[in-house]
Amino acid sequence: MELQGSVEKFQLSDIFQLLSACRKSGTLGVQKGENVIMVYFQDVNIIFAHNPYNRLRVGELLVKKGILSANRLQKIMQVQKELKDKKRIGELLILEGIITRKQLEELVKLQVEEVIYDLLRWEKGNFKVYENRFPTQEEITIKISTENLILESVRRSDELERLKKKLPSFDTVMGLAPTEDNREKDINLKADEWNVLTLVDGHRDIRKILEDSKRDKIETLKKLAGLLLAGVVEPVKRPTLEIKTDRLEKLLEQFNRSLEKYTEE
């Protein structure tokens, strides 16, 4: 699948959704100026992401989290240089008993999520999909639901105007989005997101959803934008008003009878 273009024309969340829906494996490369982000997809999940030119190493992440001191990290890195059988920092940390493999996977997941959150804020740049190609062979990969990652990215965003740009006109009716090939979506919604989702019934437009929501209108708008970007809801055609002809005909009959009775008198 040859897929490339500009971020200005194609929202990155839409590209993520497309790759997930098509169950593609490979790398999505996005460049903005000197910044480059590489996102690895496998089937329906994101398994890794990094910035080749500004990569936050596992050791640095441990120091940042206060799990490891900077001095201890320097000593481990020195050991790494002296080893003939080269091992990655992660492997050495596990061997030293500083961290378990499960903890390491959680840290890698956190690192990947932070990269994606930053990427999804980009409004300029170019992207290209490299199908079945991975630039690096990673020791630790994880599985992250694309939909959940997009939802969490929106949860973190405080830029209301940017969210508004991602929503259609407030006169647009919103409904639930159908799933691709009956595939179940692994989506974890928070309580306030469920509250907004219950208002999306295929009849209410965005303005009506905001009016009927018991929550703050700005917060409701954020949740609705998140659901839209994650592919949970979508714009639908405004339902036409059904005219009940049988009832109308009965009313006309009654009117005609009344009129006849009046004229006879």
Side-chain angles (χ1 to χ4, degrees):
M1 178 174 65
E2 183 68 22
L3 182 61
Q4 59 182 332
S6 66
V7 176
E8 291 92 334
K9 293 183 179 180
F10 301 94
Q11 291 187 24
L12 287 172
S13 57
D14 291 338
I15 302 301
F16 277 44
Q17 284 291 321
L18 176 62
L19 294 175
S20 177
C22 294
R23 310 177 78 89
K24 292 296 182 180
S25 294
T27 301
L28 168 65
V30 189
Q31 181 173 1
K32 182 179 69 172
E34 296 181 355
N35 289 322
V36 176
I37 300 293
M38 310 297 286
V39 184
Y40 299 179
F41 284 83
Q42 191 170 72
D43 200 5
V44 299
N45 297 307
I46 293 170
I47 62 169
F48 196 72
H50 68 105
N51 182 336
Y53 301 111
N54 186 25
R55 190 167 178 175
L56 183 60
R57 307 290 178 179
V58 171
E60 295 171 357
L61 193 59
L62 285 170
V63 172
K64 186 178 179 181
K65 292 293 179 181
I67 299 173
L68 186 67
S69 68
N71 288 337
R72 186 74 182 277
L73 175 60
Q74 287 296 326
K75 291 179 180 179
I76 293 173
M77 291 175 68
Q78 186 61 40
V79 171
Q80 182 189 38
K81 290 180 182 178
E82 295 172 356
L83 287 175
K84 292 182 180 179
D85 181 19
K86 294 298 181 182
K87 293 183 182 294
R88 296 195 177 191
I89 288 292
E91 292 180 88
L92 292 175
L93 292 171
I94 293 172
L95 289 173
E96 290 285 329
I98 296 172
I99 192 172
T100 66
R101 185 173 184 84
K102 185 177 180 179
Q103 288 174 316
L104 181 57
E105 289 175 351
E106 285 297 318
L107 282 170
V108 172
K109 182 181 178 182
L110 178 63
Q111 181 179 351
V112 169
E113 288 174 342
E114 291 298 329
V115 170
I116 300 294
Y117 297 149
D118 179 61
L119 175 61
L120 288 175
R121 288 195 292 267
W122 289 14
E123 296 181 348
K124 293 183 179 180
N126 297 299
F127 69 87
K128 185 173 182 178
V129 175
Y130 303 87
E131 192 170 356
N132 297 319
R133 292 168 61 187
F134 301 99
T136 59
Q137 186 174 358
E138 298 300 325
E139 173 196 5
I140 302 292
T141 58
I142 36 81
K143 289 183 179 180
I144 306 177
S145 163
T146 302
E147 290 90 353
N148 283 339
L149 205 55
I150 294 172
L151 280 171
E152 183 60 29
S153 174
V154 176
R155 289 177 190 139
R156 289 172 168 234
S157 175
D158 292 324
E159 302 173 29
L160 180 60
E161 290 303 320
R162 189 172 64 84
L163 289 173
K164 278 186 176 181
K165 291 178 183 178
K166 297 182 182 298
L167 285 167
S169 164
F170 280 17
D171 295 325
T172 304
V173 175
M174 304 300 294
L176 297 178
T179 57
E180 296 287 338
D181 300 324
N182 296 319
R183 177 174 66 89
E184 292 185 1
K185 290 187 175 181
D186 178 24
I187 301 177
N188 300 316
L189 297 180
K190 293 185 177 180
D192 48 3
E193 288 165 336
W194 276 113
N195 290 336
V196 174
L197 188 60
T198 59
L199 298 174
V200 179
D201 57 2
H203 294 276
R204 290 183 176 93
D205 58 24
I206 295 176
R207 185 173 287 103
K208 183 62 174 173
I209 290 172
L210 292 175
E211 289 174 0
D212 293 348
S213 175
K214 295 179 180 179
R215 295 184 57 81
D216 176 82
K217 285 182 171 55
I218 294 178
E219 287 301 315
T220 299
L221 195 62
K222 287 182 181 180
K223 304 309 176 190
L224 187 61
L227 294 170
L228 176 63
L229 293 175
V232 179
V233 301
E234 65 179 12
V236 298
K237 186 177 180 181
R238 184 177 291 276
T240 56
L241 293 175
E242 295 182 4
I243 300 176
K244 298 183 178 180
T245 55
D246 55 340
R247 185 180 177 186
L248 181 60
E249 287 175 359
K250 287 180 181 179
L251 288 172
L252 286 172
E253 287 176 6
Q254 284 182 330
F255 175 76
N256 288 331
R257 283 197 297 268
S258 299
L259 184 62
E260 289 173 0
K261 185 177 180 181
Y262 175 78
T263 54
E264 287 175 357
E265 294 177 353

